């Protein structure tokens, strides 16, 4: 179970990072040259710590789930 949960958490971390950064990347590629996307920058900035927390949780659940079998 630990492997599946950690894989899902890692997918969620990647999704949060991509969904947080894609709006500002698309704005800089296709938006106006004189624009100032403060809200999109804050969204991109806030997505980094959240995705890092999810990635750390994924690593911890992977390590705990693959630990030694303690059943006697």
């Amino acid at each position: 179970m630990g492997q599946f949960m950690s894989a899902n958490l890692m997918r969620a971390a990647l999704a949060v990072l991509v969904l947080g950064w894609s709006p500002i990347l698309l704005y800089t590629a296709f938006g106006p040259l004189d624009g100032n996307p403060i809200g999109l920058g804050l969204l991109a900035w806030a997505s980094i710590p959240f995705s890092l927390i999810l990635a750390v949780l994924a690593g911890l659940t992977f390590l705990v789930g693959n630990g030694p079998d303690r059943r006697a």
Side-chain angles (χ1 to χ4, degrees):
M1 176 166 163
Q3 293 176 346
F4 298 116
M5 186 173 181
S6 64
N8 286 337
L9 282 172
M10 191 57 77
R11 285 187 194 111
L14 184 62
V16 165
L17 191 64
V18 167
L19 290 175
W21 274 88
S22 60
I24 196 160
L25 291 176
L26 290 172
Y27 187 87
T28 56
F30 303 113
L33 296 177
D34 61 345
N36 191 7
I38 294 174
L40 297 178
L42 290 174
L43 176 67
W45 176 80
S47 68
I48 293 173
F50 188 60
S51 65
L52 283 175
I53 290 170
L54 287 173
V56 167
L57 285 175
L60 288 175
T61 56
F62 181 76
L63 290 175
V64 169
N66 289 339
D69 192 15
R70 296 192 176 149
R71 288 182 262 171

